[in-house]
Amino acid sequence: MRKYFKNIYLGFSTIWIGMMITLKHLLFYKNITIQYPEQRLQLPERERNRLYVNIDDCIGCDQCVRACPVNCIKIETIKAVPGDKVGKTGETSAGKKKALFVPKFTIDFAKCCYCELCVFPCPTVCIYMTDVFEFSEFQRNDLVYDFTDLTKEQAEEKRKKAEEWALEMQKKKEAAAKKPPEKKVPLKPETNDKNKSDESPDSKSDDKPSKDS
Amino acid sequence: MSLYDGIFYAFAIITVVSAFIVVLSKNIIYSAVSLFITLFGVAGFFVLLHADFIAVTQIMIYIGGILVLLIFGVMLTTKITDVKLKTKNINALTSAIFVIGITAVLIFIMLTTNWKVAEVVKYDETIDKIGVLLLTDYLLPFEIASIILLIALIGAAMYARKSK
Amino acid sequence: MEQFLIDTFGDNILTYIIMPVPVLIFLSLFALGAVLAERKVSAYMQDRYGPNRVGKGILQTLADMIKLFQKEDITPAKADKLLYNLAPFIVFTATFMGYAVIPFCSLYIGADLNIGIFYFLAITSLSIVGILIAGWASNNKYSLFGAMRAVAQIISYEIPTALAILIVVMIAGTLSMQEIVELQGGGILNWFIFGGPGGATKYILLPFLFAAFMVLYISTLAETNRTPFDIPEAESELVAGFHTEYSGMKFAMFFFAEYGQMFAVSAIVATLFLGGWQSPFGELIPVLNTPVAQIIWFILKGCIFVFVQMWLRWTLPRLRVDQLMILCWKYLIPVSFINLFAVGLYIVL
Amino acid sequence: MEVGLNHFLIVSALLFGIGLFALVSRRNAILVLMGIELMLNAANINIIAFSRYGGLGVDGQVISIFVIILAVAEAAIALAIVLNIYNNFSTINIDEVRTLKE
Amino acid sequence: MGILNKLDSKVEQFESGNIIITSADKLLNWARLSSMWQMSFGLACCAIEMMATAASHYDLDRFGIIPRPSPRQSDVIIISGTVTLKMATRVKKLYDQMPDPKYVLSMGSCSNCGGPYWEHGYHVLKGVDRIIPVDVYIPGCPPRPEALLEGLIHLQEKIRSQSIAKKVS
Amino acid sequence: MAELKTEEMILNMGPQHPSTHGVLRLELVMNGEIIEDVKPHIGYLHRCFEKHAEAMTYPQVIPYCDRMDYLASISNEFGYAIAVEKLMGIEVPERVEYIRVIMAELQRVASHLVAIGTNGLDIGAFTPFLYCFIDRERILEIFEITCGARLLYNYIWIGGVSRDIPEDFQKKVKDFVKYFRPRIKDLNNLLSYNKIFIDRTANIGVLPPDVAINAGASGPTLRGSGVKFDLRKDDPYSIYDKFDYDIPVGEGEKGTVGDCWDRYMVRVYEMEESLKIIEQAIDNIPEGDVLSAVPKRVRPQEGEIYFRTETPRGELGYYIISDGTVNPKRVKARSPAFCNLSLISQISQGAMIADIVAIIGSLDIVLGEIDR
Amino acid sequence: MLSDFGQVLVFMIIAVAFVAFVLLASKVFYPKRPSKEKLSTYECGENTIGETWLKFNVRFYVVALIFIVFDVEIVFLFPWAVVFREMGMIAFVEMAIFLIILIFGFIYVLAKGDLYWDKPKPVIPKLEREIFNSQK
Amino acid sequence: MDISEILSILNSVFEKETIELKTDIPVEPFLIIAPSKINAISLFLRDEERLQFDFLSSLSGVDYDEENLAVVYNLYSFVHKHKLMIKVIVPKNEPNVKTVSNIWTTTDWHEREAYDLFGIVFEDHPDLRRILLPDDWEGYPLRKDYKVQEFYKGMKVRY
Ligand code: SF4
Ligand code: SF4
Ligand code: SF4
């Protein structure tokens, strides 16, 4: 019998206490909602959202590609012919010499996992994360961003140039060193090979560029 | 035809038709639903007969109680998608003839008997009269009713417990 | 109201047809408002804003309704077409018919039945059939489960509801809603929660009446399937209860009926215990007792109870089905019986 | 024709007949119960009709309340029995039960 | 009957003047876009951010979005997380069971195209658009709550441009 | 109790169900409302973590670790990082250890908040759930200023942490601790000691200690059964042995030892203990460089290790085999929720459909970790 | 009185008409794209296993049964309550007898546990063999 | 308790050939046990007064080398607070191991997982089905030579 009344008492009292708490919130607490489109949070500077590549500074060194666990960065590089300036100045803002054109630098933001692993190894600090997160799209392909500053034609032209030059160099070398003929300079710059991985995703064991970074 | 008559006929048609569905429907849940309408119609008759308390009692007990009990009974004993749900009428013809005969006789008797029709009593408040009657003239049945209910309660509970 | 209509249109059928229209309009407005209010109340309890982008939030429920209006109405292939479509009718009609006896002010009551409160009790039980049919016809396990639970719950809680109502009836000696309200005229102390009109000895009854009031409120909560008694539609167990399969406008009808019922039961509680449309000041301030003011009082009282329903809902967890039954049979009904005897004894002595 | 006693009596007779039909022709125990309910309802209409037109007065209504009570008691017990039958025989078809019993 | 049957389900950039936008259109679109009931359905990490969006700090309810447990009463399904092949059939079924008009938000890299699992995830569906039509892709892993809101606003824009009228060329 | 004769009903709960915490599917064999058997079906979120780990270099695995138990990313990284460090024999600087511990404890609080909130939500209380999320948001804020992400941090690296803590970190954490203590009290009043909540969770899903151990339960699930076992104390790693804190265990305060309420309450108490640890650590963070011990190339010698840490959900063990290359040969994650969930069919027999919800809630499962 | 009930009838008709109107009007608008999947029964995304036939508990029935008995009792109580004041003591005593008889029945079913819903009957798992006892 | 002591206890009961101690691989030493004996030895490990390994932390399948698969058991004792790592090595073409699920219930799911991902068959397991992957999946994905199937239920698997 005592339990009976204790139950009634407990029921009412605990419910009452709970109700008082919600009432307190109803009446006295400030609403903490961030009214998004009108009101925005001040995002911290370390915010990790969409990547940005400052292509002017990029030297095409491929470090970011190797670090990425998801393989969503794709770079193609073309060796610059001597005398040809890469970018406007041919140098990064820190004054480093740029030797490679980057005709293709795409990041697929539909795949990227925003882990920031690609940011740290970059020698020129030209790939970094911004606080832009509002870029939803109706089409998935629109989420693939290309950061290169070269147009297709330009890239084509540079490629041709590089190939011609490479051929020339090769010939020169052959002429210079006829005795050791095995030593061949590869036709394309080395970096290019490493970007093929995206075509064959499941042959994972050997085409992973980041294997021995 | 006055409004009263119109309503009566409407109720009569609804009630009888749905009652027919109750017995003829192959699907027992349909029967239950039509029974719902029938009972509702009967409640309408009670209102038309100035028995408002009885009408509401009818709704409360028949629809809110017995009908729900029946539907529960159906759900407890009959598989919904079961073929058995679709019970068929057996020897429908003979029983139909039999029933039609009886009904005809009944109606005949009702129509031909010269009922002593008294003055139509006019009363607006039936409930207090019922209350008084229950506590005076019908006291004994009233108390006996409680015992009947008690027996129903205990008996049914026992049966139900047994079936667990 | 009725007199007014008769004056305007003459004593013909039109008079009667127009009578329910204000209620329908009120019900629609109330449902729209209450849904919004519920969302707002819950939002502010949870330190957020709730809908505030669609016309500053005010039009939110309207948008919901128009949207539901455009939604495809799916009748599952395995469902029983006829009954599936019938159920919303029954549920809504039952709720709406309950409104017939709710006195909004001294001039307006849909139908002043002399057995009004008894009628209300009976007619709300009609929705049981609707719920059962809905659950059964959907041919969905969750629905059926929800429906069975809802019915078991509603019928069990009808007993304490009735017993609590009886206490008022015993004091009032009438079943007519309008008369019950009129008896409570003359200020707050004449409300039935304070024992109705009477001498000083009536205050002995106060604890019993208060208990009856609590019983009534709790059981009406359960009858409308509100938290903490929302087991039939417990999201975390039964998805959406008996209306799991309903979509579009049919679902809206259930929704509508639910909110309609919320107000109906609140109004009943207010009518029986808190003087209905009576102003708490009685005749002291006559302005507050004109029909218009009465409507406002009445709706205010109703809305307070609706608010408490919401408040409870957003505070409490829900009970389990067996606990719910125990609460009813072991706590509410015995308490009600004791109340009944106590009040009875007081009156005869 | 002015609606009077006879009209109600006819409807009641019809309902009674329909209920009877269910009783004799249907084999589902619950349907039989429904039939019985129909018949009781018919009886109730009669009683009330007489109470209004036959000078029975409110007494008739009180009697009909008792009829309803009987219906309740009957339905409760009968359904409990039906449940039991179902439990024992897995069917509520009266004929089948009869054969099963033998 | 079924006027909304004509509702185009694909986004098309209408040129102005190409289409008669009736005021009925506007009203219906307005209702649809301001009352998107979401199916409460979470898959993986993104679902947590979705919950955070629904919680007090970001408050989906402000946009009129409330979670409905049953697909029958929901308008938008937010695919929040990795759809695995085992799950894909279920997702499709749930989507199918929603009444028209219905919308799909793909939240996060995983549902966009398999995300971090696109390469070696033998059991991951590479993009939910392989089984159901997606309306808006929200990038991020997980997208910030604001990003989800932005996606929703984006979707609202799309709904705003829908029409029940036939195109007049 | 013999019921009416019918065959058993099978009810599906999930994969889309409001209260299965993700894509869990339970096949309930029911007898009326009583559950006779529960058959959990998992794998709806199998994201091939172990396969990925084999294809990645050691540091690249960390983002995938995050995504296993997405409610407690830091804890997941923590275990993995220590395991690899052990394998390589790296000593991490003191400062890093402190930061890691603070972060891990904050993460524990955040994770428990979700667990508690969703447990309440399953029982039907919506508001406490949102209150929990409000508090959690404060923690996420701290994480965000530290590593820039809200949920999946990639913060703890092998040999260090990705970035040093920002300037106002300490202040923020202290603020949080101060703010959070009274909130726990509120939460208790609102939910934990609510009569309805107690009625719903006490005596439900009782898990006796010996069964728990035999079935591999760990974390709050195990401690709820009264077993005082916490890897932070019993098999200390990092610098947990420096701090003074208790290990709360279920005592059967409202019912039987090991019921849902105990498991729930252990989490509430644990949050307070975590606050204690944070308070002790936050003022004593030594100076130093957080990246000094991070190796340029992570290439452990050939070997293998099984290392376990205490995450909010229990014992998370990493079994790593290295074959001397930059990619691990095998990474197996022994996930606590996986073992805890496997208990469900044992402890929910005879419960009602409403109880199973409470039981799932009290087990605090994260499907990402179960299916990996 | 009749006119009042007529009013109730009008309420009913209006309610039905309202629902019918709304449903029909919406039918004009909503799109109809049924498909087999769409019309399939919802069960958390799974195909339904077995029939939608629940092994219902007898409790449902028992509750309904007890309810109906009380319902009748309430029907008696209402007229009684109305005339209660006029009749005074006799009414009280008579009703007390009536009620006590029924309450007796109520207590009987309560004591027998018929009214209680299925309580969870948790089976506490046990190991076949005691293998662990250091913690106790 | 040290692993060598454990070994000596075990050696006193079981034949020497079935148990082998490996200490040369860092970081932890472990025992290698013959597949057929694992059940008996596990039971002994659990019930022996001095050992009481009542808790199985983890059971992992491993693609050991070209020909062999392995199952690794990590044991822990709540009573004595000591750990033990056991390995069972089985050939790929006939990967049969005795189940230990009757000893530690936790292994029920772990073994199913190892079966699912490696195809290791645990004899006498009560319910050896796939657990993570769907029942109609082909192949054992964590084996090094696993080739992913092209389509699953009409859905393309590869990117
Ligand atoms: S953030 Fe991570 S996933 Fe995205 S591109 Fe950089 S490394 Fe790759
Ligand atoms: S690491 Fe930096 S410089 Fe090198 S390719 Fe990437 S972005 Fe360019
Ligand atoms: S997109 Fe990223 S956060 Fe979202 S489910 Fe996939 S892995 Fe998790």
Side-chain angles (χ1 to χ4, degrees), chain A residues 51 67-70 72-73 107 112-118 129:
Chain A
L51 286 160
C68 178
V70 183
C72 61
I73 310 180
I107 302 182
C112 174
C113 72
Y114 305 87
C115 60
E116 215 182 7
L117 280 177
C118 53
M129 298 203 117

Side-chain angles (χ1 to χ4, degrees), chain B residues 14-15 18-19 32-43 63 67, chain C residues 86:
Chain B
I14 292 173
T15 310
S18 62
V33 174
S34 352
L35 186 63
F36 165 73
I37 297 168
T38 313
L39 296 175
F40 204 81
V42 173
I63 297 180
L67 187 67
Chain C
L86 188 66

Side-chain angles (χ1 to χ4, degrees), chain D residues 65-80:
Chain D
I65 294 183
F66 288 118
V67 173
I68 293 179
I69 290 169
L70 282 182
V72 165
E74 170 257 355
I77 299 278
L79 268 171

Side-chain angles (χ1 to χ4, degrees), chain A residues 7 10 14 17-18 21 25 32 44 46-48 66-69 113 115-117 120 210-213, chain F residues 56-57 60 67 131 134 144-148 152-154 157 163-164 166 186 189-190 193 195 297 326-327:
Chain A
N7 272 342
L10 268 182
T14 55
I17 291 170
I21 292 175
H25 277 267
I32 49 164
R46 293 181 181 180
E47 188 57 35
R48 274 165 34 191
R66 292 170 199 222
C68 178
C113 72
C115 60
E116 215 182 7
L117 280 177
F120 293 94
S210 45
K211 264 236 133 154
D212 38 18
S213 54
Chain F
M56 301 287 152
T57 63
Q60 283 178 342
R67 282 158 180 76
Y131 290 168
I134 291 173
E144 201 175 1
I145 57 165
T146 316
C147 48
L152 308 170
Y153 310 108
N154 186 19
W157 283 4
R163 292 161 184 258
D164 204 347
D186 262 12
N189 280 334
L190 185 57
Y193 292 116
K195 181 92 174 76
R297 275 158 70 104
V326 291
N327 302 49

Side-chain angles (χ1 to χ4, degrees), chain A residues 29-88:
Chain A
Y29 275 52
K30 234 177 69 217
N31 290 357
I32 49 164
T33 308
I34 299 138
Q35 309 211 39
Y36 164 64
E38 294 87 32
Q39 220 176 356
R40 272 153 207 276
L41 268 188
Q42 179 67 41
L43 293 182
E45 59 180 327
R46 293 181 181 180
E47 188 57 35
R48 274 165 34 191
N49 277 307
R50 190 169 78 189
L51 286 160
Y52 179 73
V53 182
N54 183 355
I55 200 72
D56 290 341
D57 276 4
C58 177
I59 55 171
C61 68
D62 207 34
Q63 292 291 346
C64 48
V65 179
R66 292 170 199 222
C68 178
V70 183
N71 252 341
C72 61
I73 310 180
K74 274 164 212 159
I75 306 189
E76 269 169 33
T77 48
I78 302 169
K79 262 199 180 138
V81 186
D84 203 357
K85 245 199 270 168
V86 183
K88 286 192 198 82

